Amino acid sequence: MTSHAKAGYDRAVQDFTDAFRLAFGLVISLDADLVEIVSLSLRVSLIAVFIACLIGLPLGARLAVARFRGRGAVLVVVNALMGLPPVVVGLLVYLHLSRSGPLGSFGLLYTPTAMIIAQTILIAPIITALSRQIIEDLHEEYAEQFRSLGLTRSETTRALLRDGRRALVTVALAGFGRAIAEVGAVIIVGGNIDHLTRVMTTAIALETSKGDLPLALALGLILLVLALAVNALAMTLRRPDA
Amino acid sequence: MSAGVTTHGLAFDAGGNRRVGPLDLDLPATGITVLMGPNGAGKSLLLRLLHGLITPTAGQIKISTDRQAMVFQKPVMLRRSVAENLIFVLKRRHPRAEVEGRCRNILREIDLEARAGQPARALSGGEQQRLALARALATEPELLFLDEPTASLDPASTLAIEATVMRAAAEGTKVVLVTHDTGQARRVAGDVVFLHKGMVCEHSLAADFFDSPVSEQARAYLDGRIVL
Ligand SMILES: Nc1ncnc2c1ncn2[C@@H]1O[C@H](COP(=O)(O)OP(=O)(O)OP(=O)(O)O)[C@@H](O)[C@H]1O
Ligand SMILES: [Mg+2]
């Protein structure tokens, strides 16, 4: 390495180390901006997961238990929706919520509500498809016994949701993991507005492009820890239900 | 209170093959009917047909009661505790306040009190069968189908199960029981249906069946020869 290149390299390491030190400082001092961004992220994604579960769990259970014409087609659609690109969801929600769109009069564009809607649409298919699989496996095991006992369909569904609950929590965690790490949809419908719709992922994208590494790094660290925690929780829950 | 079982031309096909039937059965309305026959004869299939779990390809089944229960050859344990497996059926029949007491009594009878809180699927095979029978009886059936309920039980537990089944029968529950255990069949059977390749070879009173089986297949089975 030439001395010139060496100096450049040292400077980069120095910058990076400084950025890390500042980032840790932000986390430890519970910097106001940082806390605001993290709590908005959590709020938006948790609400989105909650709504997606309200839609996806009953739907998944019903798809698992019911046999009707066109069920196969519905399953194909749900599975395809699992792979929806976030930016496309963002675009579609944008078109609906924008002032000239069908829901424009509600004035939801660039609000946390718009972000919740986008994330819900993104993860509801995931929750539906994964819970369908889990409940269908369990139903295979229980079906004859339940029919022997003369259970109604709603009693069957309720019992399946209850006995599969542990595995279903991991489904919700998977949905949360996808929601909180997603950037494409929320940046389109939220607009990354400071103090209003700025969440972790959009802030990281912006701060990095501005060169403000400490805040980006601090948020990145928190996101990383969150992702690890969610995964660890899912792992411990993945033990089969008793 | 009791339930006779009759069938006319009952048959079930799968994959283009006749699995069971045509069967014309007329089971007595009380007591214990034992269903015997070699592996694959169609015993489990016949129980499922009679219990209404699968739809026959042809023929009719006449059963005078809807109050039926079945214990499967592989007992189905809910992914819940031992006690909750009982509570699940008890609370469908009894007022909330009685459920816990009834559950405790049953657990004491089947000697699983100490395991009440453990996952039912952690029980041994024999313990699961005990629990599955108790759960079936907790629905107070008038007609009870038992598919090899003592297949993995030790001798003492086998006798305990037999006593339970005979008491239920004495109290008016019609029982149809599948077993490969000739000793057990002798101990509990009122009448015996011998099934071979989906057909009834013989239906006679237990005493007659064991003293002088008519069909060559039943004689071979009882002698422990391979029946073809
Ligand atoms: N639901 C079903 N659909 C189609 N075929 C079946 C079904 N259940 C069983 N069979 C077939 O019917 C035949 C009889 O099976 P069954 O389980 O009734 O035998 P079994 O007399 O109970 O034997 P074992 O003594 O081994 O329990 C087998 O060839 C089996 O593959
Ligand atoms: Mg069988």
Side-chain angles (χ1 to χ4, degrees):
Chain A
M1 218 183 269
T2 66
S3 63
H4 186 68
K6 175 99 171 57
Y9 178 78
D10 284 347
R11 189 148 12 87
V13 170
Q14 185 58 44
D15 286 354
F16 204 62
T17 321
D18 286 347
F20 251 115
R21 193 164 338 106
L22 285 168
F24 273 115
L26 288 175
V27 175
I28 286 162
S29 67
L30 292 176
D31 175 80
D33 278 353
L34 186 82
V35 169
E36 189 183 351
I37 292 170
V38 171
S39 38
L40 181 65
S41 282
L42 290 173
R43 204 178 79 201
V44 166
S45 295
L46 285 173
I47 294 174
V49 168
F50 182 74
I51 300 172
C53 283
L54 286 184
I55 300 166
L57 291 180
L59 197 60
R62 179 140 176 78
L63 284 173
V65 173
R67 290 290 174 274
F68 52 90
R69 271 171 55 107
R71 176 175 178 273
V74 174
L75 294 185
V76 169
V77 170
V78 170
N79 280 319
L81 290 178
M82 276 219 292
L84 277 178
V87 282
V88 174
V89 171
L91 181 59
L92 289 174
V93 174
Y94 177 91
L95 291 175
H96 281 83
L97 298 185
S98 68
R99 203 130 29 93
S100 54
L103 305 173
S105 55
F106 293 103
L108 291 177
L109 197 61
Y110 304 137
T111 64
T113 308
M115 297 153 75
I116 291 170
I117 292 171
Q119 289 196 347
T120 302
I121 293 172
L122 208 57
I123 58 179
I126 299 177
I127 307 242
T128 306
L130 295 180
S131 60
R132 199 268 309 165
Q133 189 61 58
I134 286 165
I135 293 169
E136 195 167 312
D137 290 348
L138 195 58
H139 186 235
E140 207 157 289
E141 198 179 310
Y142 283 2
E144 280 201 321
Q145 181 68 60
F146 280 4
R147 283 179 58 205
S148 170
L149 290 170
L151 261 62
T152 63
R153 184 139 80 203
S154 77
E155 286 174 315
T156 299
T157 308
R158 237 178 310 135
L160 290 169
L161 285 171
R162 181 198 181 280
D163 286 11
R165 63 193 179 284
R166 200 187 256 279
L168 293 173
V169 169
T170 69
V171 169
L173 288 173
F176 177 76
R178 174 141 164 112
I180 196 105
E182 180 281 321
V183 53
V186 285
I187 206 161
I188 294 178
V189 303
N192 193 26
I193 302 166
D194 207 3
H195 302 304
L196 186 59
T197 59
R198 183 159 298 173
V199 289
M200 286 194 274
T201 52
T202 57
I204 291 171
L206 177 73
E207 302 304 330
T208 307
S209 66
K210 283 195 330 201
D212 183 359
L213 286 185
L215 184 55
L217 267 174
L219 288 166
L221 278 173
I222 292 173
L223 201 51
L224 195 66
V225 168
L226 263 174
L228 290 176
V230 164
N231 268 301
L233 192 58
M235 287 262 277
T236 57
L237 286 170
R238 205 159 291 149
R239 290 183 285 130
D241 288 72
Chain B
M1 220 335 236
S2 53
V5 176
T6 49
T7 70
H8 293 288
L10 175 66
F12 180 77
D13 298 349
N17 288 318
R18 174 74 22 127
R19 303 290 176 176
V20 159
L23 299 182
D24 294 302
L25 280 173
D26 190 3
L27 307 184
T30 55
I32 302 177
T33 296
V34 166
L35 193 55
M36 299 191 85
N39 294 133
K43 305 179 296 296
S44 300
L45 202 50
L46 178 56
L47 286 196
R48 282 189 167 82
L49 284 164
L50 294 176
H51 191 34
L53 293 176
I54 48 182
T55 316
T57 312
Q60 292 96 43
I61 300 167
K62 287 206 194 74
I63 293 178
S64 52
T65 179
D66 289 333
R67 298 261 306 263
Q68 303 180 17
M70 175 155 171
V71 177
F72 295 91
Q73 194 165 351
K74 283 187 222 131
V76 181
M77 292 288 113
L78 303 186
R79 295 163 180 260
R80 308 179 182 203
S81 73
V82 171
E84 279 170 315
N85 264 270
L86 289 169
I87 290 168
F88 185 72
V89 300
L90 285 171
K91 72 177 184 209
R92 292 168 53 84
R93 295 205 72 81
H94 301 287
R96 203 163 261 290
E98 285 180 26
V99 166
E100 205 176 307
R102 284 178 181 271
C103 174
R104 216 165 324 121
N105 288 341
I106 296 172
L107 287 174
R108 196 172 316 124
E109 276 169 35
I110 60 175
D111 200 20
L112 287 177
E113 241 181 335
R115 322 276 309 259
Q118 292 176 16
R121 283 154 53 93
L123 295 178
S124 79
E127 288 166 337
Q128 289 190 15
Q129 277 184 316
R130 242 149 68 203
L131 179 58
L133 176 62
R135 190 178 57 191
L137 285 171
T139 66
E140 296 167 20
E142 292 176 353
L143 175 56
L144 176 61
F145 296 105
L146 301 173
D147 200 347
E148 303 192 28
T150 59
S152 54
L153 295 185
D154 60 46
S157 309
T158 300
L159 291 179
I161 291 270
E162 288 173 12
T164 308
V165 173
M166 285 193 280
R167 189 172 45 191
E171 286 166 4
T173 303
K174 169 68 193 169
V175 178
V176 181
L177 178 147
V178 173
T179 184
H180 287 294
D181 180 345
T182 327
Q184 172 167 79
R186 282 175 192 275
R187 287 190 294 271
V188 305
D191 57 318
V192 177
V193 174
F194 188 83
L195 211 61
H196 180 244
K197 292 188 175 163
M199 298 291 291
V200 173
C201 294
E202 200 161 339
H203 181 194
S204 31
L205 291 177
D208 297 338
F209 179 81
F210 292 111
D211 287 353
S212 48
V214 218
S215 63
E216 171 54 29
Q217 289 91 341
R219 231 172 302 145
Y221 178 88
L222 290 174
D223 289 351
R225 284 181 279 135
I226 291 172
V227 259
L228 294 172

